[in-house]
Amino acid sequence: MREKRKSWIAVSSAIGASVVISQGAVATTSPHTSLAPATLLTAPGPMMEGEGEGAVSVDLTTNDSAFLAQLGLIRGHLWVGMKLYEQGHLEMAKTHMKHPGDELYAGLVSAFEARDLPGFAKPLSDLADSVNNDADKAVVMENYAALKDAIAANEPLASMTAAEVLKSIASMLLTSADEYAIGIKQNQVVNVHEFQDAYGFQQIALSRLDALSEAQRAGAEEAISETRKVIQGLDELWPTTTPEGELEGDASLIYGAASRIEMEANGI
């Protein structure tokens, strides 16, 4: 699957946030590390796999597309966790809850500070604690609503161009593809948690399009429409949130979608 990813990435130019990071050149999309430090390393084509030569830095304190993508990954974890919660899969839901100490959030702290943003540590903790401690459903849902509002207050989406948002979406889908490739191997479910994360990232990528303003849409309608079709075309890869056994799915479809959306962004 790594070779499939390389072939898709080679079609696209460097996409900011789903690449290798400065600490030891560990991939941000590693199955066991969701690190999102303030400085990422990226390079065009196959080098995005992390071979290292020719890498250039992407700074989350200044790169809004990369920053928005990382916030989207947090949203994706929470989205699928709450989906599972509402479906009654409580133990699974708990595994997707995030705390301020988790690497994905902790790696964004300097980016919050550079932008003079408050972050959302307390609402994040409040939701995780309420789910993990089996609080009343009304409390959980209230905490989730408050957290979504708090995340939105830290997102630079309103000040970004449509092209920048589409590049952020493409980056999220690369991470979704990585997670899907871990979850589904040779049409067998081998890691349902990563499969679920991939679903959450795809859904948040789609929701980004609905948040675009009329001003952002102006002159970008065709690219936005095509991006929506491309993302929605992936829906069949997640027929259920809790698959077992056999499931026909190919992560290369998600890699291809990411590449297509990157090209749409570059064409605006």
Side-chain angles (χ1 to χ4, degrees):
M1 187 56 67
R2 285 173 63 88
E3 291 305 316
K4 285 186 178 180
R5 181 182 182 190
K6 288 182 181 181
S7 66
W8 286 117
I9 298 301
V11 178
S12 173
S13 62
I15 299 175
S18 20
V19 285
V20 291
I21 64 173
S22 54
Q23 287 115 346
V26 180
T28 59
T29 51
S30 163
H32 303 298
T33 55
S34 298
L35 290 173
T39 301
L40 307 179
L41 297 179
T42 180
M47 290 302 298
M48 289 185 72
E49 275 295 317
E51 286 88 341
E53 182 181 353
V56 296
S57 67
V58 175
D59 189 350
L60 291 180
T61 66
T62 58
N63 188 313
D64 284 345
S65 289
F67 180 56
L68 185 67
Q70 295 300 311
L71 292 175
L73 297 184
I74 292 179
R75 280 188 178 271
H77 282 290
L78 299 172
W79 183 91
V80 77
M82 291 304 297
K83 182 79 168 179
L84 291 163
Y85 177 85
E86 292 178 336
Q87 292 174 341
H89 304 296
L90 303 185
E91 293 308 311
M92 281 187 175
K94 292 176 181 180
T95 68
H96 295 278
M97 294 298 106
K98 293 294 177 183
H99 276 283
D102 289 345
E103 290 171 327
L104 186 56
Y105 182 88
L108 291 169
V109 171
S110 60
F112 294 140
E113 293 173 348
R115 291 175 169 83
D116 197 25
L117 294 170
F120 44 90
K122 187 178 187 306
L124 189 65
S125 182
D126 287 345
L127 176 63
D129 290 345
S130 61
V131 172
N132 290 327
N133 295 328
D134 300 318
D136 185 80
K137 183 176 181 179
V139 173
V140 172
M141 299 310 294
E142 181 179 348
N143 286 342
Y144 184 43
L147 176 54
K148 288 191 292 183
D149 288 343
I151 296 174
N154 287 268
E155 290 174 327
L157 190 147
S159 63
M160 295 169 64
T161 65
E164 289 172 332
V165 175
L166 294 194
K167 289 181 179 181
S168 179
I169 288 171
S171 180
M172 285 190 63
L173 287 180
L174 282 179
T175 304
S176 176
D178 284 344
E179 301 298 271
Y180 197 92
I182 295 167
I184 307 296
K185 294 183 182 295
Q186 298 181 336
N187 294 333
Q188 291 289 325
V189 180
V190 297
N191 190 321
V192 72
H193 180 94
E194 305 298 347
F195 168 89
Q196 292 163 348
D197 279 342
Y199 186 29
F201 302 156
Q202 183 251 5
Q203 287 293 302
I204 296 302
L206 183 62
S207 73
R208 290 293 192 212
L209 299 177
D210 296 328
L212 291 170
S213 68
E214 289 301 317
Q216 288 169 318
R217 293 174 186 277
E221 294 89 347
E222 185 175 346
I224 293 169
S225 176
E226 186 61 29
T227 295
R228 185 180 298 277
K229 290 177 184 177
V230 169
I231 299 174
Q232 289 177 332
L234 301 172
D235 285 347
E236 64 185 16
L237 294 174
W238 294 276
T240 176
T241 56
T242 56
E244 296 179 358
E246 294 186 6
L247 188 150
E248 291 189 15
D250 188 348
S252 69
L253 297 175
I254 315 176
Y255 289 127
S259 178
R260 175 61 184 273
I261 293 167
E262 171 78 357
M263 288 188 287
E264 291 293 337
N266 289 335
I268 295 176

